[in-house]
Structures are given as C-alpha cells and as structure tokens.
Amino acid sequence: MDKFIIEGGIPLNGEVHISGSKNAALPILCSSILADDICTYTNIPALRDISTITEVLSTLGMGIERPCNGCIVIDPRTTSSYEAPYELVKSMRASILVLGPLLAKYKKAKVSLPGGCAIGVRPIDMHLKALTKMGANITLSHGYVMAFTEGLKGTRIVFDTPTVGGTENIMMAASLAEGTTVIEGAAKEPEVVDLAYALIAMGAQIDGAGQSTITIDGTPSLSGLEYRVIPDRIEVGTFLIAGAITKGDLILKDARADHVVAVVDKLLEMGVAINQREDGSLHVDGKHDLLPVQVDTVPYPGFPTDMQAQIMALACITPGTTSITENIFENRFMHVPELVRLGGRLEEKGHTVIVQGVEQFQGASVMATDLRASASLVLAALNARGLTEIRRIYHLDRGYENLDQKLVKLGARVRRERGGL
Ligand code: EPZ
C-alpha cells in the first residue's frame, strides 16, 4: 500500500485549482440511471470513489466512456441488471445511491448493505423507511437490500435528522414517482442542491432544494443532459488550512466561497486572513498568530463534519485550548492518536476533543484510517519539524485528486512511495 513521505516546516505558496466535488459527483452519476438518453458530465474528479461508482453502473450494464480529462459519458439505455454487488458496495457506502433510481426506473433493485466504515455504523434505515412509504417492498436478505415496487407514489417524507444520502435517494426516486413528494427535514448541503439542478436539467420538477422542505412533482420520464459538477468545498477547506498551518500564502482557483462560509468564518475567528478576490478565487494568508476557538460539527450550513479532522490539526499548533465536538458521527476521532504521535496534545472526552496548542508538530510514522483523517495527518506533516511517513494513503486517494502533486506545486516536499505494508 502506498505511503507519503513529507518533509514539513515549509510555507506553501502559489495557486491551486480545486477539483470537482466527490460528494456531488457520486449522486449525480447515479441519477443517470433515471435518464432515457446519454448523460455527459464534466469536472468529475479522478478519484477511487468515482471509479467505484462507475464500476457499479457498468455492472448494471450501462455504457461508460471517459472521452477527456474530468469527463464521463454514461449511456443508460443498455441497463440490463439491477444488482449492486457486495464486492463493490463494501468499499463505498455511497453505492446505496443506486437504490432509489433503480426502484423508480425499473421497479426493482438488489443492493448490498453498505459495510460500516471507519467513522461509524452509518445505517440506511431512513432511506429504506422513506422508500417503503413511497410504495417499495423492501426486505433484507443475506446482506442485501431486496426491493421491488408496483410503482413508486409521491408522499410526505419527514426526516427526524438531516441525511444527505437519504435526501438524495428520495429526491431521485421521487423524480419518476407518480404524484408529488414533499421531503421535510431535508439536508441542505450544496451537493444536494447540485443533484437537484442536474435532475431539473433532465426535466425533473423540483422546488426548494437547499432548504429544509423540498417538493418533487414526479414526471413520466427524464432526458439525458450535459452537466458540470460544483467544486469540492471540502478540498477548499483543506487547502485553506494548508495555507494556515504552514504560514503560507495561497490562491484557491475555482473555489465556491458561498459553499464554505462556516469554515471561513471559523478560520477568520482563529486569526487566519482569508479574502475573496475579484475573480472569485479565495486568498489565504497564514502568517498571523492563531487564536483558540470552539468547534461544533453540525449539518449544513454549519461547520461540516468533513472538516473536523482538518481543523483539529490546525488547533494542535494554535496557542491555548481549543475544543472540538463531533455531533454527526459516533466514531470520527480515529486521527486523534495519530496526531498525538506527531506531538499533538489532545484529550478525548466523549464526543469532544480538548486540544492544547504546541509550537510545532514533530515528524513521525503514522497510519491513515479514513479519508478526512488522512487529510488531517497530511496537514500536520506539512507543519512538522522533520520527516513524516503516512501509511495506507489509499484512504486519501478516495477523495483528493492528485493531492501530492498539487502540494509539490505549492512548494511542499511530498514523496509518494508505492507498495509496502
Ligand atoms: C454524506 O454521507 C457524505 N458522503 C459524508 O462525507 C458526510 O460526512 C455526510 O454526508 C454528512 O455530511 C457523501 O456525500 C458521499 P448522512 P451520508 O446520511 O449521506 C446517520 C466524506 O468524507 N444516518 O447525512 O452517508 C448517519 O449514521 C464523507 O466525503 C442514519 O442514522 O451521511 C450519520 O450519523 C464521509 N440513518 C448521520 O445520519 C440513515 O438512514 C448523517 O449521515 C442515514 C444516516
């Protein structure tokens, strides 16, 4: 398995292009199942998770072509299977996003239950309950979700707590259901909104995406489309922190500032200088003293759980006491012991981690455990005195496109070593 060797203590400087959003691309690629014609997507990041979902769609019999960098062309007209196998789903929970579209379009689906992942059990009970209310017959058998329907019907769905994937699955299913579906307690993430815009481009009737109540009037069919997905807001947040943690000076091109307001506000509170330039790019100047803050992860538009590990790395080299509380997932502190190995002073207290700032991280050998934990370790390594070895970097390759190359272009000393344990 690949590892990174990083020599830290070097301020990053220069321009970085933000890639397309993984968490927008995944549901949007699944929505092609609903289409009657060719779907062309651009700004799709080259990531392992994207390869996995296109493999799932190919397993369903759909035609997949990659005519250029960042483009994917899907032909749904050759769909011949309705089963997403365990071998693929086990490696990526988002594969469950084929369930709603398959049921809506073909009235049947067999999708492996997603394995839990490092950050928690991550059930899909809210997805299944909502689809059942829309007229799906769902049973769980031998680790698979077996689902069929005489035809999905629009209804009122109330989510007790926001679920991004649940909102996306139901929005896709409702687009071809008979009648009107109202989703209350919907997730408001930009990726949900981007999916809604893609569905509307296919002819879906959707109102209210981005708010807590979304109304979908089902249509008999949906056309193909050409669509460009939004930039990745978590990559934006990660590079803002890279600028801060190395006391560097970065320009983030193709960033959507309106998608990262909570992250920018929190970093400004910490003393990081961030501004938006005329051309829309984001400028971060990390040469200012940092101040401790309190961070609570909450659903969008609040501070995102996907930035929790990254801001924890910055908190480790912020003088004073910072507290970080994870309210979305039950086990998203796998990066804590690794940050301790790098010299961080952290103490877990239930869902909260108390961080006492130190001067600088110290290089060490550490292990990546999940996608955003890996990003946190890279950020810490970029700050650290000496060399850091980060093993199992495949976690990072799931969600960051060419991160090592982007960092090297900014002056970082990062080397990828292939193979090994
Ligand atoms: C999406 O996951 C993202 N993944 C996650 O990003 C992100 O952390 C998460 O939303 C929260 O923002 C993609 O978009 C592909 P949820 P999702 O359904 O949809 C519980 C990354 O790093 N829940 O909003 O799986 C669940 O266990 C990834 O890019 C149920 O209990 O998240 C969790 O505690 C990690 N039952 C909470 O709700 C359900 O039926 C939020 O989950 C569904 C969810």
Side-chain angles (χ1 to χ4, degrees):
M1 287 179 242
D2 290 7
K3 60 184 170 185
F4 276 174
I5 310 294
I6 298 178
E7 181 188 341
I10 301 158
L12 300 188
N13 285 286
E15 279 192 9
V16 60
H17 281 269
I18 299 298
S19 299
S21 163
K22 166 178 83 79
N23 290 350
L26 290 170
I28 287 173
L29 291 170
C30 292
S31 71
S32 62
I33 291 169
L34 299 164
D36 284 347
D37 210 333
I38 302 263
C39 300
T40 301
Y41 301 107
T42 55
N43 202 32
I44 302 290
L47 301 170
R48 246 156 45 87
D49 277 10
I50 298 296
S51 305
T52 303
I53 203 68
T54 49
E55 225 179 302
V56 170
L57 298 178
S58 172
T59 306
L60 300 178
M62 301 168 82
I64 310 282
E65 283 174 21
R66 291 180 177 75
C68 67
N69 238 354
C71 328
I72 290 186
V73 178
I74 297 179
D75 184 351
R77 295 171 298 187
T78 51
T79 303
S80 55
S81 161
Y82 315 102
E83 177 175 344
Y86 174 67
E87 298 68 44
L88 289 171
V89 174
K90 74 177 185 313
S91 61
M92 189 187 63
R93 167 187 162 75
S95 309
I96 196 64
L97 293 172
V98 302
L99 180 59
L102 283 173
L103 266 178
K105 178 85 173 182
Y106 301 104
K107 300 187 172 50
K108 57 187 169 188
K110 179 181 176 188
V111 182
S112 169
L113 275 171
C117 65
I119 64 177
V121 174
R122 302 180 72 191
I124 54 170
D125 54 314
M126 293 196 271
H127 299 237
L128 303 184
K129 198 169 139 215
L131 289 167
T132 302
K133 193 171 179 189
M134 294 179 73
N137 296 286
I138 293 178
T139 52
L140 303 185
S141 155
H142 302 294
Y144 277 83
V145 175
M146 316 289 284
F148 71 91
T149 177
E150 302 299 320
L152 295 180
K153 301 254 185 305
T155 185
R156 181 168 169 262
I157 301 292
V158 180
F159 286 131
D160 303 336
T161 57
T163 158
V164 172
T167 303
E168 292 167 344
N169 238 334
I170 298 311
M171 207 161 60
M172 290 189 279
S175 296
L176 280 186
E178 188 189 324
T180 299
T181 298
V182 177
I183 304 173
E184 294 183 26
K188 306 176 189 174
E189 273 69 2
E191 295 76 28
V192 172
V193 177
D194 210 30
L195 171 62
Y197 287 160
L199 289 166
I200 290 165
M202 297 161 77
Q205 311 283 320
I206 300 175
D207 191 37
Q211 294 155 42
S212 52
T213 299
I214 303 176
T215 303
I216 306 106
D217 292 318
T219 56
S221 67
L222 293 171
S223 68
L225 81 166
E226 290 190 8
Y227 197 78
R228 178 183 177 80
V229 304
I230 54 173
D232 193 309
R233 64 189 169 100
I234 305 303
E235 186 183 12
V236 170
T238 304
F239 272 103
L240 289 174
I241 292 180
I245 209 168
T246 61
K247 297 206 175 309
D249 192 300
L250 300 179
I251 303 285
L252 280 57
K253 307 285 281 182
D254 309 317
R256 281 283 299 268
D258 57 322
H259 290 169
V260 290
V261 171
V263 173
V264 169
D265 285 353
K266 189 55 71 177
L267 293 175
L268 290 172
E269 195 186 331
M270 290 180 83
V272 183
I274 300 171
N275 57 34
Q276 190 172 12
R277 303 187 339 152
E278 289 287 299
D279 63 359
S281 59
L282 279 176
H283 172 230
V284 55
D285 166 7
K287 291 185 279 301
H288 306 269
D289 292 343
L290 293 173
L291 304 165
V293 291
Q294 178 173 329
V295 180
D296 280 89
T297 67
V298 290
Y300 194 87
F303 191 89
T305 173
D306 291 352
M307 282 298 303
Q308 176 257 103
Q310 297 93 309
I311 202 162
M312 192 179 287
L314 184 61
C316 285
I317 50 103
T318 298
T321 303
T322 299
S323 84
I324 298 176
T325 301
E326 172 58 54
N327 298 301
I328 306 293
F329 291 107
E330 74 268 17
N331 179 29
R332 204 169 195 177
F333 287 149
M334 313 273 280
H335 41 287
V336 170
E338 302 304 312
L339 291 172
V340 169
R341 284 182 52 75
L342 289 164
R345 289 177 54 204
L346 306 99
E347 190 186 350
E348 267 188 64
K349 290 183 171 169
H351 285 268
T352 297
V353 172
I354 304 296
V355 186
Q356 299 294 347
V358 296
E359 179 71 26
Q360 184 179 11
F361 280 109
Q362 306 302 318
S365 271
V366 289
M367 180 91 73
T369 51
D370 60 85
L371 170 54
R372 306 305 174 181
S374 325
S376 164
L377 300 181
V378 170
L379 293 167
L382 291 169
N383 168 275
R385 187 198 316 274
L387 290 181
T388 296
E389 175 193 74
I390 306 176
R391 298 182 184 176
R392 299 192 178 174
I393 214 67
Y394 64 85
H395 288 291
L396 201 74
D397 294 334
R398 292 190 56 174
Y400 288 92
E401 185 179 47
N402 302 325
L403 184 63
D404 38 344
Q405 294 151 27
K406 290 185 178 182
L407 290 170
V408 166
K409 261 184 76 181
L410 298 172
R413 291 196 193 128
V414 182
R415 191 175 77 248
R416 179 188 287 258
E417 280 191 5
R418 304 254 175 230
L421 286 178

